Amino acid sequence: MTQFINTKEALVTEAIDGFLRTSGAHLARLDGFPHIKVIVREDWDKSKVALVSGGGSGHEPAHVGYVGAGMLTAAVCGDVFASPSVDAVLAGILAVSGTAGCLLIVKNYTGDRLNFGLAAERARAYGIKVSMVIVDDDIALPDLPQARGVAGTLFVHKIAGALATSGADLETVTEAAQQVIAKVASIGMSLDTCTVPGSPKEMRIQEGKAELGLGIHGESGVELVDFTTARDAMAIVLERLKPNVGDGTKVALLNNLGGATPLEMSVLAEELSKSDVIDNIHYLIGPAPLMTSLDMRGFSVSILPVSPEGLALLQTPVSLRSWPGCIDIEAPRIRPIPDGLTPIKPIPSKDPAMAQFIARCCDVFIAAEVELNALDTHSGDGDTGATLAGASRALKASIDRLPLADPTQLYRAIGLELSQTMGGSSGVLLAIFFSAVGDALSSGMPMVDALKAGLLRVREVGGAEPGDRTMIDALTPALDALPNGVTHAAKAARQGADYTAEIVKAKAGRASYISKERLRGYNDPGAEAVALLFENMSITS
Amino acid sequence: MTQFINTKEALVTEAIDGFLRTSGAHLARLDGFPHIKVIVREDWDKSKVALVSGGGSGHEPAHVGYVGAGMLTAAVCGDVFASPSVDAVLAGILAVSGTAGCLLIVKNYTGDRLNFGLAAERARAYGIKVSMVIVDDDIALPDLPQARGVAGTLFVHKIAGALATSGADLETVTEAAQQVIAKVASIGMSLDTCTVPGSPKEMRIQEGKAELGLGIHGESGVELVDFTTARDAMAIVLERLKPNVGDGTKVALLNNLGGATPLEMSVLAEELSKSDVIDNIHYLIGPAPLMTSLDMRGFSVSILPVSPEGLALLQTPVSLRSWPGCIDIEAPRIRPIPDGLTPIKPIPSKDPAMAQFIARCCDVFIAAEVELNALDTHSGDGDTGATLAGASRALKASIDRLPLADPTQLYRAIGLELSQTMGGSSGVLLAIFFSAVGDALSSGMPMVDALKAGLLRVREVGGAEPGDRTMIDALTPALDALPNGVTHAAKAARQGADYTAEIVKAKAGRASYISKERLRGYNDPGAEAVALLFENMSITS
């Protein structure tokens, strides 16, 4: 498997330009490619505290996706999983910082600490007020005081962003960021490694195993655990987080590390919502890709205990597409099934002539079972005759229950009966035909027009046209000729059915997959059935 | 590789409940699990035309993610890649349809056509106005009139949704949907197959190849092409689309089939934006996962020529997280690099005593090169001595260029010099130290306090604490003792440095990865360097 990139070297700069072209937001980049990859807000007047974050790329939407009103002012991007340079960070600081100063939000990796740290010193030499916070929310390695910074960083972006937007000063914003960092805890789990562009994929995790406590740069997890179900996976993650989170109301952040499908993330969200391992998780950010590790099929959970003020800052609306909001977790709302799924049982009524007519039609198909099966072996699985004969026997058996004296209801009832006994595509199509005929009759349409309306509906739903080697090739000319009498209709049906033997490329239905050699000379069994029916009617009428 | 699910059977129902719990939207589901999986708007008053779509699951966010104001009224979900039943579709129609009626938006797959089609008939029997459109935007199989419905369906959802919201009647909404379907064309390309839950992954596409014209249910592409770059991939896709799209202004929809990373999708967006294969593509929806095929590493492009009215309907804002908006493609905005990246060259000034002092300090490190290298072999890569000696030689050579008579500028200049000549983490840390000392001095702080401020900054950025077996273990006691004289400082530094030989678990820096047996009895080379410096100063002072 390769990747949709041009070159590894140009990956990040091209991705940034692609992002900027298609973000529809007030964003710009600094003119420093390829060395300086900095995205800044264009709608920024420097009267408020600027927030600058960044780090290696490969964590998208972090951090470019969080630059905008209410969150970051600038993002400084390194190459994939590589820290940006001091110059790049300094350029970002200088581009957005005014008299209110600048907060650097840095994830706890040596390269980021040093490059952001030195850039901060150089910016201070210009008289810019710069403070820096180091996010270390990963609890995977309890013995290491230098815990990594992972998805919990998003809480810092959002809370500091809301405060800065409200006009808070640098000290206030920095202090709030520090408080979030002191309280937030995160851990991740993955079923597969990520694919670093330009490097072969490391097949490290065997089937049935999961890595727990992994980093976001392809680092191995601290532990290999058995993977059984999403429920157990979420329980393991929450058990690890539990001793690391404080009391009170909590917000969970459910992060897709990149490669889990939305279905999986929704199942994990369901398990997180239902779990009682950690109490008082009432709010959720996600599930969404928030701080990814390229295409890693994994997730992480971050937990932050919040005060009402902190919650309000997290819930302040922002218009960034990458930010999923912080919502109240609630039980799924469930509405009753509407009435009407149980079909209305028609009131039986008597009409001996109609009963006889229906029985006669059914007998045509019952008699033709072997012949139609034989034709179907050339284009299908040889069961057209059996299917039609079976449905005909069932319909005959139900005649006494049908509303024979009420044409409108009768056709709908036949359609319903066929859809329940026949099965498969042909059953549904005949049910649609008879239902549509009944609808047309109930609207006052004459019989021939009603039958044509039914045929039109079948063509719409089934997608078959005349010439596609289906029953339509017999039914269409038959109905066209029917006003001139059944004999004319039967002749037209026969011509139409025989013509299907010359159609060597079926365009719809199962026969469309069959080679032309096998089709030539054999009538389509559906069209033949129609012809047989009309022929029988013309003889007996 | 396994997946974050509990059971294949419960996957879709659990995912729907997880989605509902965490969507924060006005959504409910019908009480028909597991058979009937229907999501409906709760804030729906049936006075407007209802839009019902759906189909198999595995295409998330389609279709559940598009239920909401301005788009769908209900989504009817089948199991993964399986059509929902007639009863499920009928339940959806009955739940949301009022007198204005209901439009069914169906992708062109036999199962969906039949099940939605028969449900429509049954709903009509209740007197509900139902129309149905079949989306067939896939141009991969030009000979098959029954083209598949893929991501172009999104155009129908959005345009029909905006019209229905505006109060248009069923005929108008249906006609508009038909017009979109007649004009939209889509094709996809993938580098890998998708992983169907419960089924082994089919490794079908070799390295260096891509499938072109694939479906969204794991069907093979119509063609296996060479994959070289994202640029070529986009060109191939656009060349195939070109003959299938009309004239005029066009909107492109760039869909992530599930497994491509945001970086890749941004690169593809860049290539789409820059391409001149199809002219007049001025608007873009995406890149985003819009109509996915589980975790398939692929993308699709859909193109729709639009009138100004159609564009306005596409651009009507909706608050659905799954809908990325329809934005004007524009060139990346580029801002100049801010002034200040080129460090200010300090104005040289003379101070013979200071020059002599600096040279003496440098000589200490130059003389200790071999000794410090030897210590470093126990905890690092044996280059501490060489690094310090090299930087010292460079600093000595630059003495005449330094602002020796201006203490504030001098320390900053030394920091800059070290950061440029020394490289690596220790160079950055010393640069941060001297820059911070300079800042502190410029704010009027006494020298010892300024040195302590520098040390504090190094600790913040480097993340090391006393006791972590770093130079801090010598520098901290030395600075604490310095007010009592250099001799006391030297003694304290020596004690601190020697104490590092007893610290067998380094907690920061490279030595943190070394086993305790290798560390015991050897001073940390950084701490030893500090001790040597202070000892030398105490002798010569």
Side-chain angles (χ1 to χ4, degrees):
Chain A
M1 185 182 58
T2 27
Q3 295 184 311
F4 291 111
I5 68 174
N6 291 313
T7 65
K8 188 173 67 121
E9 292 68 29
L11 169 55
V12 175
T13 54
E14 289 177 346
I16 287 172
D17 271 354
F19 176 85
L20 289 175
R21 271 184 216 276
T22 61
S23 74
H26 299 286
L27 301 178
R29 67 167 171 88
L30 298 184
D31 192 14
F33 275 0
H35 180 53
I36 292 175
K37 299 181 279 287
V38 175
I39 290 80
V40 298
R41 284 180 63 182
E42 284 236 297
D43 54 348
W44 180 243
D45 66 2
K46 298 193 179 185
S47 70
K48 292 175 177 172
V49 173
L51 301 187
V52 177
S53 191
S57 296
H59 308 301
E60 292 66 31
H63 291 89
V64 171
Y66 302 120
V67 180
M71 292 186 78
L72 301 180
T73 323
V76 185
C77 304
D79 279 327
V80 171
F81 295 168
S83 181
S85 69
V86 174
D87 275 1
V89 179
L90 181 59
I93 298 171
L94 295 175
V96 296
S97 300
T99 51
C102 173
L103 171 64
L104 302 182
I105 302 168
V106 181
K107 295 192 298 305
N108 196 14
Y109 298 94
T110 305
D112 286 345
R113 291 181 78 129
L114 296 179
N115 289 309
F116 279 80
L118 185 51
E121 293 303 332
R122 285 176 58 184
R124 287 186 189 108
Y126 287 97
I128 297 172
K129 286 199 291 182
V130 182
S131 63
M132 176 164 129
V133 294
I134 312 278
V135 189
D136 57 354
D137 54 317
D138 184 19
I139 55 114
L141 300 158
D143 291 340
L144 196 71
Q146 296 244 29
R148 296 173 291 205
V150 288
T153 309
L154 272 294
F155 285 115
V156 184
H157 292 344
K158 182 65 179 71
I159 286 178
L163 270 175
T165 303
S166 74
D169 65 16
L170 183 59
E171 289 65 33
T172 305
V173 177
T174 304
E175 171 63 21
Q178 297 283 21
Q179 282 180 12
V180 171
I181 292 168
K183 288 182 187 166
V184 64
S186 304
I187 193 166
M189 181 187 273
S190 184
L191 296 172
D192 200 4
T193 52
C194 61
T195 320
V196 180
S199 303
K201 180 168 170 150
E202 187 186 355
M203 303 302 252
R204 195 171 65 206
I205 310 176
Q206 318 93 287
E207 187 79 26
K209 295 284 182 183
E211 277 191 3
L212 177 68
L214 58 152
I216 53 173
H217 305 90
E219 312 100 299
S220 302
V222 294
E223 204 176 322
L224 198 66
V225 298
D226 290 332
F227 175 77
T228 53
T229 61
R231 188 163 303 143
D232 286 348
M234 183 55 73
I236 291 170
V237 160
L238 294 178
E239 291 285 359
R240 295 297 168 106
L241 284 170
K242 188 175 183 176
N244 295 280
V245 291
D247 294 328
T249 300
K250 297 170 194 79
V251 181
L253 183 148
L254 179 52
N255 175 45
N256 185 343
L257 281 166
T261 59
L263 277 178
E264 293 170 271
M265 293 309 298
S266 286
V267 171
L268 288 167
E270 174 72 354
E271 296 303 337
L272 173 61
S273 304
K274 292 197 300 191
S275 168
D276 56 6
V277 172
I278 297 177
D279 56 12
N280 295 318
I281 300 179
H282 295 314
Y283 303 93
L284 186 76
I285 296 163
L290 295 160
M291 180 72 75
T292 62
S293 180
L294 293 168
D295 59 352
M296 182 173 278
R297 193 182 206 99
F299 71 99
S300 68
V301 177
S302 305
I303 306 275
L304 179 71
V306 283
S307 63
E309 296 74 30
L311 181 64
L313 294 169
L314 282 175
Q315 294 195 319
T316 309
V318 294
S319 62
L320 291 161
R321 274 179 54 201
S322 303
W323 180 252
C326 173
I327 61 95
D328 300 23
I329 300 173
E330 54 180 24
R333 279 171 284 200
I334 301 177
R335 296 189 145 200
I337 293 274
D339 290 338
L341 287 201
T342 311
I344 304 156
K345 269 218 160 65
I347 300 161
S349 55
K350 293 202 181 302
D351 182 334
M354 181 57 83
Q356 201 188 352
F357 175 73
I358 292 171
R360 196 185 303 147
C361 291
C362 289
D363 287 337
V364 172
F365 297 129
I366 293 169
E369 179 169 355
V370 175
E371 176 188 355
L372 294 175
N373 274 349
L375 277 179
D376 192 36
T377 56
H378 296 282
S379 57
D381 47 6
D383 67 351
T384 301
T387 304
L388 275 173
S392 297
R393 285 186 199 102
L395 187 61
K396 267 183 85 173
S398 75
I399 282 180
D400 289 345
R401 298 195 305 272
L402 293 174
L404 295 167
D406 179 347
T408 300
Q409 293 304 324
L410 175 61
Y411 283 84
R412 285 180 182 155
I414 292 172
L416 189 62
E417 185 70 30
L418 291 176
S419 75
Q420 288 172 343
T421 58
M422 208 165 161
S425 299
S426 38
V428 174
L429 284 169
L430 283 178
I432 288 171
F433 174 76
F434 283 106
S435 296
V437 172
D439 280 352
L441 288 174
S442 75
S443 73
M445 209 178 267
M447 175 58 82
V448 172
D449 291 340
L451 290 169
K452 285 186 174 178
L455 177 60
L456 185 64
R457 192 61 55 76
V458 165
R459 282 174 51 180
E460 282 172 4
V461 174
E465 299 293 317
D468 285 352
R469 202 180 204 281
T470 68
M471 70 168 185
I472 290 168
D473 290 317
L475 193 52
T476 303
L479 294 183
D480 287 341
L482 195 53
N484 304 326
V486 178
T487 311
H488 282 88
K491 258 190 202 159
R494 171 50 56 202
Q495 280 186 337
D498 290 349
Y499 169 65
T500 61
E502 298 169 35
I503 303 171
V504 292
K505 172 121 187 67
K507 286 186 180 165
R510 186 172 288 153
S512 58
Y513 305 114
I514 305 295
S515 73
K516 48 177 100 175
E517 288 68 28
R518 284 192 55 197
L519 293 175
R520 193 186 302 276
Y522 298 99
N523 286 8
D524 173 72
E528 179 65 22
V530 170
L532 291 174
L533 181 67
F534 276 93
E535 286 173 341
N536 184 284
M537 285 193 287
S538 79
I539 293 163
T540 56
S541 64
Chain B
M1 186 183 57
T2 28
Q3 295 184 312
F4 291 111
I5 67 174
N6 292 312
T7 65
K8 188 173 69 124
E9 291 70 27
L11 168 56
V12 176
T13 54
E14 289 176 347
I16 287 173
D17 270 354
F19 176 84
L20 289 175
R21 271 185 214 276
T22 61
S23 74
H26 298 286
L27 300 178
R29 67 167 170 88
L30 298 185
D31 191 14
F33 275 1
H35 181 53
I36 292 175
K37 298 182 279 287
V38 175
I39 290 81
V40 298
R41 284 180 63 182
E42 283 236 298
D43 55 346
W44 179 244
D45 66 1
K46 298 193 177 184
S47 70
K48 291 173 178 173
V49 172
L51 302 187
V52 177
S53 192
S57 295
H59 309 302
E60 292 67 28
H63 291 88
V64 171
Y66 301 120
V67 180
M71 291 187 79
L72 300 181
T73 323
V76 185
C77 305
D79 280 326
V80 171
F81 294 169
S83 182
S85 70
V86 174
D87 274 0
V89 179
L90 180 59
I93 297 170
L94 295 176
V96 296
S97 299
T99 51
C102 172
L103 172 65
L104 301 183
I105 303 169
V106 181
K107 297 192 296 305
N108 195 13
Y109 298 95
T110 306
D112 286 344
R113 290 180 78 128
L114 296 180
N115 289 308
F116 279 81
L118 184 52
E121 294 304 331
R122 285 176 59 185
R124 286 186 190 108
Y126 287 98
I128 296 172
K129 287 199 291 183
V130 183
S131 63
M132 177 164 129
V133 293
I134 312 279
V135 188
D136 57 354
D137 54 316
D138 184 20
I139 56 115
L141 300 157
D143 291 339
L144 195 71
Q146 296 245 30
R148 296 173 290 206
V150 289
T153 310
L154 272 294
F155 285 115
V156 183
H157 292 345
K158 183 64 180 73
I159 286 177
L163 270 176
T165 303
S166 75
D169 64 16
L170 182 60
E171 289 65 34
T172 306
V173 177
T174 305
E175 171 64 22
Q178 297 283 21
Q179 282 180 12
V180 171
I181 292 168
K183 287 181 187 166
V184 63
S186 303
I187 193 166
M189 181 187 273
S190 184
L191 296 172
D192 200 3
T193 52
C194 61
T195 319
V196 180
S199 303
K201 180 167 171 151
E202 188 186 356
M203 304 300 255
R204 194 171 67 207
I205 310 176
Q206 318 92 288
E207 187 77 27
K209 294 284 182 182
E211 277 191 2
L212 178 67
L214 58 152
I216 54 175
H217 305 90
E219 312 100 300
S220 302
V222 294
E223 203 176 321
L224 197 66
V225 298
D226 290 332
F227 174 77
T228 54
T229 62
R231 187 164 305 143
D232 285 348
M234 183 55 73
I236 292 171
V237 160
L238 294 178
E239 292 286 357
R240 295 297 167 106
L241 284 170
K242 189 175 183 176
N244 295 279
V245 291
D247 293 330
T249 300
K250 295 171 196 80
V251 181
L253 181 149
L254 179 53
N255 175 45
N256 185 344
L257 281 165
T261 60
L263 277 177
E264 292 170 272
M265 293 309 298
S266 285
V267 171
L268 289 167
E270 174 72 355
E271 297 303 337
L272 173 60
S273 304
K274 291 197 302 191
S275 168
D276 56 5
V277 172
I278 297 178
D279 56 12
N280 294 318
I281 298 180
H282 296 314
Y283 304 93
L284 186 76
I285 297 163
L290 295 160
M291 181 72 75
T292 62
S293 180
L294 292 169
D295 59 353
M296 182 173 277
R297 194 181 206 100
F299 71 98
S300 69
V301 176
S302 305
I303 306 276
L304 179 72
V306 283
S307 63
E309 295 75 28
L311 181 64
L313 294 170
L314 282 175
Q315 294 194 319
T316 309
V318 293
S319 63
L320 291 160
R321 275 180 51 201
S322 303
W323 180 253
C326 174
I327 61 97
D328 300 24
I329 300 173
E330 53 179 24
R333 279 172 283 199
I334 301 176
R335 294 188 145 201
I337 292 275
D339 289 339
L341 288 200
T342 310
I344 303 156
K345 269 221 161 66
I347 299 160
S349 55
K350 292 202 183 302
D351 181 335
M354 182 57 83
Q356 200 186 351
F357 176 75
I358 292 171
R360 197 184 303 149
C361 293
C362 291
D363 287 337
V364 172
F365 297 128
I366 293 168
E369 178 169 358
V370 174
E371 175 189 355
L372 293 176
N373 274 349
L375 277 180
D376 191 37
T377 55
H378 296 280
S379 57
D381 48 5
D383 66 350
T384 302
T387 305
L388 275 174
S392 297
R393 285 186 199 101
L395 188 60
K396 268 184 83 173
S398 75
I399 284 181
D400 289 346
R401 298 196 304 271
L402 292 175
L404 296 167
D406 179 348
T408 301
Q409 294 302 324
L410 175 61
Y411 283 83
R412 285 179 181 155
I414 291 172
L416 190 63
E417 185 70 29
L418 290 177
S419 76
Q420 289 173 341
T421 59
M422 208 166 161
S425 300
S426 38
V428 174
L429 283 169
L430 283 177
I432 289 171
F433 175 75
F434 284 105
S435 295
V437 172
D439 280 353
L441 287 173
S442 75
S443 73
M445 209 178 267
M447 175 57 82
V448 172
D449 291 341
L451 290 169
K452 286 185 174 179
L455 178 59
L456 185 65
R457 193 62 55 74
V458 165
R459 283 174 50 179
E460 283 172 3
V461 173
E465 299 293 317
D468 284 352
R469 204 182 203 280
T470 69
M471 69 167 187
I472 290 169
D473 290 317
L475 194 51
T476 304
L479 293 183
D480 286 342
L482 195 53
N484 304 325
V486 177
T487 310
H488 283 87
K491 258 187 201 161
R494 170 50 54 202
Q495 281 186 336
D498 289 350
Y499 169 65
T500 60
E502 299 167 36
I503 303 172
V504 292
K505 172 125 187 68
K507 287 187 179 163
R510 185 171 290 153
S512 58
Y513 305 113
I514 305 294
S515 73
K516 48 176 98 172
E517 289 68 27
R518 283 192 55 196
L519 294 174
R520 193 186 302 277
Y522 297 101
N523 285 9
D524 173 72
E528 179 66 21
V530 171
L532 291 174
L533 181 66
F534 276 91
E535 285 174 342
N536 185 282
M537 285 194 285
S538 80
I539 292 162
T540 57
S541 65

